[in-house]
mmCIF file of all heavy atoms in Angstrom:
data_model
loop_
_atom_site.group_PDB
_atom_site.id
_atom_site.type_symbol
_atom_site.label_atom_id
_atom_site.label_comp_id
_atom_site.label_asym_id
_atom_site.label_seq_id
_atom_site.Cartn_x
_atom_site.Cartn_y
_atom_site.Cartn_z
ATOM 1 N N ALA A 1 0.830 -1.211 0.000
ATOM 2 C CA ALA A 1 0.000 0.000 0.000
ATOM 3 C C ALA A 1 0.861 1.256 0.000
ATOM 4 O O ALA A 1 0.560 2.220 -0.714
ATOM 5 C CB ALA A 1 -0.948 -0.001 1.197
ATOM 6 N N GLN A 2 1.950 1.263 0.766
ATOM 7 C CA GLN A 2 2.826 2.441 0.782
ATOM 8 C C GLN A 2 3.507 2.618 -0.571
ATOM 9 O O GLN A 2 3.632 3.746 -1.062
ATOM 10 C CB GLN A 2 3.869 2.338 1.900
ATOM 11 C CG GLN A 2 4.689 3.610 2.067
ATOM 12 C CD GLN A 2 3.831 4.841 2.307
ATOM 13 O OE1 GLN A 2 2.995 4.860 3.204
ATOM 14 N NE2 GLN A 2 4.015 5.886 1.505
ATOM 15 N N LEU A 3 3.921 1.525 -1.191
ATOM 16 C CA LEU A 3 4.509 1.615 -2.540
ATOM 17 C C LEU A 3 3.497 2.167 -3.532
ATOM 18 O O LEU A 3 3.844 2.973 -4.402
ATOM 19 C CB LEU A 3 5.008 0.243 -2.998
ATOM 20 C CG LEU A 3 6.209 -0.338 -2.267
ATOM 21 C CD1 LEU A 3 6.475 -1.766 -2.727
ATOM 22 C CD2 LEU A 3 7.437 0.529 -2.479
ATOM 23 N N LEU A 4 2.227 1.764 -3.403
ATOM 24 C CA LEU A 4 1.185 2.258 -4.291
ATOM 25 C C LEU A 4 0.934 3.748 -4.056
ATOM 26 O O LEU A 4 0.810 4.517 -5.009
ATOM 27 C CB LEU A 4 -0.103 1.450 -4.101
ATOM 28 C CG LEU A 4 -1.255 1.790 -5.046
ATOM 29 C CD1 LEU A 4 -0.867 1.538 -6.496
ATOM 30 C CD2 LEU A 4 -2.486 0.963 -4.682
ATOM 31 N N ARG A 5 0.869 4.165 -2.789
ATOM 32 C CA ARG A 5 0.707 5.599 -2.484
ATOM 33 C C ARG A 5 1.853 6.411 -3.097
ATOM 34 O O ARG A 5 1.631 7.452 -3.711
ATOM 35 C CB ARG A 5 0.681 5.831 -0.970
ATOM 36 C CG ARG A 5 -0.629 5.534 -0.321
ATOM 37 C CD ARG A 5 -0.624 5.958 1.158
ATOM 38 N NE ARG A 5 -1.583 5.177 1.878
ATOM 39 C CZ ARG A 5 -1.327 4.044 2.524
ATOM 40 N NH1 ARG A 5 -0.108 3.567 2.569
ATOM 41 N NH2 ARG A 5 -2.285 3.389 3.121
ATOM 42 N N ASP A 6 3.083 5.934 -2.911
ATOM 43 C CA ASP A 6 4.254 6.623 -3.465
ATOM 44 C C ASP A 6 4.172 6.710 -4.986
ATOM 45 O O ASP A 6 4.492 7.749 -5.583
ATOM 46 C CB ASP A 6 5.550 5.907 -3.063
ATOM 47 C CG ASP A 6 5.823 5.948 -1.563
ATOM 48 O OD1 ASP A 6 5.182 6.763 -0.843
ATOM 49 O OD2 ASP A 6 6.670 5.163 -1.105
ATOM 50 N N ALA A 7 3.730 5.629 -5.626
ATOM 51 C CA ALA A 7 3.613 5.612 -7.090
ATOM 52 C C ALA A 7 2.569 6.614 -7.567
ATOM 53 O O ALA A 7 2.794 7.341 -8.545
ATOM 54 C CB ALA A 7 3.268 4.199 -7.571
ATOM 55 N N ILE A 8 1.422 6.674 -6.883
ATOM 56 C CA ILE A 8 0.371 7.621 -7.268
ATOM 57 C C ILE A 8 0.854 9.055 -7.084
ATOM 58 O O ILE A 8 0.637 9.907 -7.951
ATOM 59 C CB ILE A 8 -0.928 7.355 -6.482
ATOM 60 C CG1 ILE A 8 -1.538 6.015 -6.914
ATOM 61 C CG2 ILE A 8 -1.937 8.482 -6.688
ATOM 62 C CD1 ILE A 8 -2.687 5.536 -6.037
ATOM 63 N N GLU A 9 1.544 9.324 -5.974
ATOM 64 C CA GLU A 9 2.082 10.676 -5.744
ATOM 65 C C GLU A 9 3.094 11.059 -6.821
ATOM 66 O O GLU A 9 3.095 12.186 -7.315
ATOM 67 C CB GLU A 9 2.710 10.765 -4.353
ATOM 68 C CG GLU A 9 1.682 10.793 -3.237
ATOM 69 C CD GLU A 9 2.288 10.717 -1.844
ATOM 70 O OE1 GLU A 9 3.534 10.703 -1.719
ATOM 71 O OE2 GLU A 9 1.498 10.661 -0.884
ATOM 72 N N ALA A 10 3.953 10.107 -7.219
ATOM 73 C CA ALA A 10 4.937 10.386 -8.273
ATOM 74 C C ALA A 10 4.240 10.659 -9.607
ATOM 75 O O ALA A 10 4.625 11.583 -10.336
ATOM 76 C CB ALA A 10 5.904 9.205 -8.403
ATOM 77 N N LEU A 11 3.190 9.885 -9.918
ATOM 78 C CA LEU A 11 2.453 10.116 -11.157
ATOM 79 C C LEU A 11 1.733 11.458 -11.113
ATOM 80 O O LEU A 11 1.662 12.161 -12.135
ATOM 81 C CB LEU A 11 1.451 8.984 -11.405
ATOM 82 C CG LEU A 11 2.038 7.618 -11.747
ATOM 83 C CD1 LEU A 11 0.928 6.587 -11.904
ATOM 84 C CD2 LEU A 11 2.912 7.662 -12.981
ATOM 85 N N ASN A 12 1.201 11.836 -9.953
ATOM 86 C CA ASN A 12 0.535 13.136 -9.820
ATOM 87 C C ASN A 12 1.493 14.277 -10.130
ATOM 88 O O ASN A 12 1.124 15.248 -10.789
ATOM 89 C CB ASN A 12 -0.041 13.321 -8.413
ATOM 90 C CG ASN A 12 -1.287 12.495 -8.182
ATOM 91 O OD1 ASN A 12 -1.938 12.043 -9.119
ATOM 92 N ND2 ASN A 12 -1.623 12.281 -6.924
ATOM 93 N N LYS A 13 2.741 14.167 -9.661
ATOM 94 C CA LYS A 13 3.746 15.212 -9.923
ATOM 95 C C LYS A 13 4.114 15.261 -11.403
ATOM 96 O O LYS A 13 4.305 16.326 -11.970
ATOM 97 C CB LYS A 13 4.997 14.954 -9.083
ATOM 98 C CG LYS A 13 4.804 15.267 -7.620
ATOM 99 C CD LYS A 13 6.058 14.982 -6.826
ATOM 100 C CE LYS A 13 5.779 15.177 -5.344
ATOM 101 N NZ LYS A 13 6.881 14.694 -4.517
ATOM 102 N N GLU A 14 4.204 14.103 -12.016
ATOM 103 C CA GLU A 14 4.579 14.007 -13.425
ATOM 104 C C GLU A 14 3.429 14.415 -14.347
ATOM 105 O O GLU A 14 3.645 15.003 -15.399
ATOM 106 C CB GLU A 14 4.996 12.559 -13.716
ATOM 107 C CG GLU A 14 5.461 12.295 -15.114
ATOM 108 C CD GLU A 14 5.754 10.816 -15.350
ATOM 109 O OE1 GLU A 14 5.988 10.067 -14.387
ATOM 110 O OE2 GLU A 14 5.734 10.423 -16.523
ATOM 111 N N ASN A 15 2.207 14.130 -13.953
ATOM 112 C CA ASN A 15 1.032 14.272 -14.807
ATOM 113 C C ASN A 15 0.663 15.719 -15.123
ATOM 114 O O ASN A 15 0.355 16.059 -16.245
ATOM 115 C CB ASN A 15 -0.151 13.552 -14.146
ATOM 116 C CG ASN A 15 -1.396 13.560 -14.992
ATOM 117 O OD1 ASN A 15 -1.343 13.404 -16.206
ATOM 118 N ND2 ASN A 15 -2.517 13.752 -14.348
ATOM 119 N N MET A 16 0.634 16.582 -14.127
ATOM 120 C CA MET A 16 0.271 18.004 -14.264
ATOM 121 C C MET A 16 -1.190 18.239 -14.640
ATOM 122 O O MET A 16 -1.609 19.351 -14.833
ATOM 123 C CB MET A 16 1.166 18.718 -15.292
ATOM 124 C CG MET A 16 2.628 18.677 -14.979
ATOM 125 S SD MET A 16 2.957 19.498 -13.429
ATOM 126 C CE MET A 16 4.655 19.852 -13.574
ATOM 127 N N ASP A 17 -1.973 17.201 -14.826
ATOM 128 C CA ASP A 17 -3.397 17.307 -15.133
ATOM 129 C C ASP A 17 -4.166 16.624 -14.015
ATOM 130 O O ASP A 17 -3.623 15.775 -13.318
ATOM 131 C CB ASP A 17 -3.729 16.605 -16.464
ATOM 132 C CG ASP A 17 -3.162 17.332 -17.662
ATOM 133 O OD1 ASP A 17 -3.381 18.550 -17.755
ATOM 134 O OD2 ASP A 17 -2.504 16.685 -18.499
ATOM 135 N N PRO A 18 -5.456 16.933 -13.858
ATOM 136 C CA PRO A 18 -6.236 16.167 -12.874
ATOM 137 C C PRO A 18 -6.344 14.709 -13.320
ATOM 138 O O PRO A 18 -6.311 14.410 -14.517
ATOM 139 C CB PRO A 18 -7.605 16.851 -12.858
ATOM 140 C CG PRO A 18 -7.653 17.711 -14.060
ATOM 141 C CD PRO A 18 -6.248 17.965 -14.519
ATOM 142 N N VAL A 19 -6.441 13.806 -12.353
ATOM 143 C CA VAL A 19 -6.596 12.392 -12.681
ATOM 144 C C VAL A 19 -7.977 12.187 -13.292
ATOM 145 O O VAL A 19 -8.988 12.534 -12.707
ATOM 146 C CB VAL A 19 -6.446 11.512 -11.417
ATOM 147 C CG1 VAL A 19 -6.562 10.050 -11.782
ATOM 148 C CG2 VAL A 19 -5.120 11.768 -10.734
ATOM 149 N N LEU A 20 -8.022 11.625 -14.493
ATOM 150 C CA LEU A 20 -9.273 11.389 -15.207
ATOM 151 C C LEU A 20 -9.727 9.939 -15.124
ATOM 152 O O LEU A 20 -10.896 9.636 -15.303
ATOM 153 C CB LEU A 20 -9.124 11.808 -16.670
ATOM 154 C CG LEU A 20 -8.742 13.273 -16.906
ATOM 155 C CD1 LEU A 20 -8.466 13.519 -18.381
ATOM 156 C CD2 LEU A 20 -9.829 14.187 -16.392
ATOM 157 N N GLY A 21 -8.806 9.025 -14.862
ATOM 158 C CA GLY A 21 -9.151 7.616 -14.760
ATOM 159 C C GLY A 21 -7.931 6.787 -14.417
ATOM 160 O O GLY A 21 -6.801 7.175 -14.701
ATOM 161 N N VAL A 22 -8.190 5.641 -13.781
ATOM 162 C CA VAL A 22 -7.109 4.757 -13.362
ATOM 163 C C VAL A 22 -7.468 3.317 -13.719
ATOM 164 O O VAL A 22 -8.601 2.883 -13.533
ATOM 165 C CB VAL A 22 -6.860 4.873 -11.835
ATOM 166 C CG1 VAL A 22 -5.861 3.832 -11.358
ATOM 167 C CG2 VAL A 22 -6.375 6.274 -11.473
ATOM 168 N N VAL A 23 -6.468 2.598 -14.229
ATOM 169 C CA VAL A 23 -6.585 1.162 -14.464
ATOM 170 C C VAL A 23 -5.721 0.482 -13.405
ATOM 171 O O VAL A 23 -4.524 0.760 -13.302
ATOM 172 C CB VAL A 23 -6.091 0.765 -15.876
ATOM 173 C CG1 VAL A 23 -6.084 -0.742 -16.041
ATOM 174 C CG2 VAL A 23 -6.931 1.434 -16.942
ATOM 175 N N LEU A 24 -6.350 -0.369 -12.599
ATOM 176 C CA LEU A 24 -5.635 -1.152 -11.590
ATOM 177 C C LEU A 24 -5.560 -2.585 -12.097
ATOM 178 O O LEU A 24 -6.576 -3.258 -12.210
ATOM 179 C CB LEU A 24 -6.361 -1.077 -10.243
ATOM 180 C CG LEU A 24 -5.762 -1.895 -9.104
ATOM 181 C CD1 LEU A 24 -4.341 -1.426 -8.778
ATOM 182 C CD2 LEU A 24 -6.653 -1.802 -7.863
ATOM 183 N N ASP A 25 -4.364 -3.038 -12.398
ATOM 184 C CA ASP A 25 -4.154 -4.359 -12.989
ATOM 185 C C ASP A 25 -3.778 -5.361 -11.902
ATOM 186 O O ASP A 25 -2.711 -5.267 -11.301
ATOM 187 C CB ASP A 25 -3.048 -4.271 -14.042
ATOM 188 C CG ASP A 25 -2.916 -5.521 -14.892
ATOM 189 O OD1 ASP A 25 -3.496 -6.563 -14.525
ATOM 190 O OD2 ASP A 25 -2.212 -5.455 -15.921
ATOM 191 N N LEU A 26 -4.673 -6.324 -11.656
ATOM 192 C CA LEU A 26 -4.427 -7.379 -10.667
ATOM 193 C C LEU A 26 -4.319 -8.755 -11.338
ATOM 194 O O LEU A 26 -4.424 -9.781 -10.666
ATOM 195 C CB LEU A 26 -5.552 -7.397 -9.623
ATOM 196 C CG LEU A 26 -5.743 -6.125 -8.813
ATOM 197 C CD1 LEU A 26 -6.922 -6.264 -7.855
ATOM 198 C CD2 LEU A 26 -4.481 -5.766 -8.043
ATOM 199 N N ARG A 27 -4.090 -8.773 -12.641
ATOM 200 C CA ARG A 27 -3.986 -10.050 -13.347
ATOM 201 C C ARG A 27 -2.777 -10.842 -12.845
ATOM 202 O O ARG A 27 -1.716 -10.273 -12.596
ATOM 203 C CB ARG A 27 -3.865 -9.834 -14.853
ATOM 204 C CG ARG A 27 -5.154 -9.337 -15.483
ATOM 205 C CD ARG A 27 -4.978 -9.032 -16.938
ATOM 206 N NE ARG A 27 -4.059 -7.901 -17.093
ATOM 207 C CZ ARG A 27 -3.675 -7.410 -18.263
ATOM 208 N NH1 ARG A 27 -4.121 -7.938 -19.385
ATOM 209 N NH2 ARG A 27 -2.856 -6.379 -18.319
ATOM 210 N N ASN A 28 -2.984 -12.137 -12.694
ATOM 211 C CA ASN A 28 -1.937 -13.062 -12.246
ATOM 212 C C ASN A 28 -1.332 -12.673 -10.900
ATOM 213 O O ASN A 28 -0.191 -13.015 -10.609
ATOM 214 C CB ASN A 28 -0.843 -13.213 -13.308
ATOM 215 C CG ASN A 28 -1.395 -13.803 -14.578
ATOM 216 O OD1 ASN A 28 -2.167 -14.755 -14.542
ATOM 217 N ND2 ASN A 28 -1.043 -13.224 -15.713
ATOM 218 N N ASN A 29 -2.096 -11.966 -10.091
ATOM 219 C CA ASN A 29 -1.659 -11.614 -8.739
ATOM 220 C C ASN A 29 -2.193 -12.705 -7.809
ATOM 221 O O ASN A 29 -3.394 -12.797 -7.596
ATOM 222 C CB ASN A 29 -2.209 -10.244 -8.356
ATOM 223 C CG ASN A 29 -1.797 -9.805 -6.963
ATOM 224 O OD1 ASN A 29 -1.731 -10.603 -6.042
ATOM 225 N ND2 ASN A 29 -1.550 -8.523 -6.815
ATOM 226 N N PRO A 30 -1.309 -13.517 -7.226
ATOM 227 C CA PRO A 30 -1.775 -14.639 -6.413
ATOM 228 C C PRO A 30 -2.256 -14.252 -5.022
ATOM 229 O O PRO A 30 -2.735 -15.089 -4.277
ATOM 230 C CB PRO A 30 -0.534 -15.534 -6.321
ATOM 231 C CG PRO A 30 0.606 -14.557 -6.386
ATOM 232 C CD PRO A 30 0.137 -13.475 -7.338
ATOM 233 N N GLY A 31 -2.126 -12.986 -4.655
ATOM 234 C CA GLY A 31 -2.601 -12.543 -3.346
ATOM 235 C C GLY A 31 -1.457 -12.151 -2.441
ATOM 236 O O GLY A 31 -0.457 -11.601 -2.875
ATOM 237 N N GLY A 32 -1.615 -12.461 -1.177
ATOM 238 C CA GLY A 32 -0.610 -12.102 -0.179
ATOM 239 C C GLY A 32 -1.280 -11.794 1.138
ATOM 240 O O GLY A 32 -2.323 -12.362 1.457
ATOM 241 N N VAL A 33 -0.709 -10.870 1.878
ATOM 242 C CA VAL A 33 -1.195 -10.597 3.231
ATOM 243 C C VAL A 33 -2.496 -9.790 3.209
ATOM 244 O O VAL A 33 -2.693 -8.915 2.369
ATOM 245 C CB VAL A 33 -0.126 -9.877 4.083
ATOM 246 C CG1 VAL A 33 1.095 -10.763 4.261
ATOM 247 C CG2 VAL A 33 0.293 -8.558 3.473
#
């Protein structure tokens, strides 16, 4: 979750536009904690 928050914050800085949509890819993710 912290890695995801950091990634979103980095994309927000790079993007310069409001977020219009997000694709969350969980394919072949076996799970975890």
Side-chain angles (χ1 to χ4, degrees):
Q2 187 56 53
L3 292 173
L4 184 61
R5 280 187 205 93
D6 295 345
I8 292 170
E9 287 173 3
L11 291 177
N12 286 341
K13 287 179 186 170
E14 182 184 339
N15 184 40
M16 301 298 200
D17 291 310
V19 182
L20 301 173
V22 173
V23 174
L24 178 62
D25 190 347
L26 300 178
R27 289 176 294 178
N28 298 316
N29 180 322
V33 297

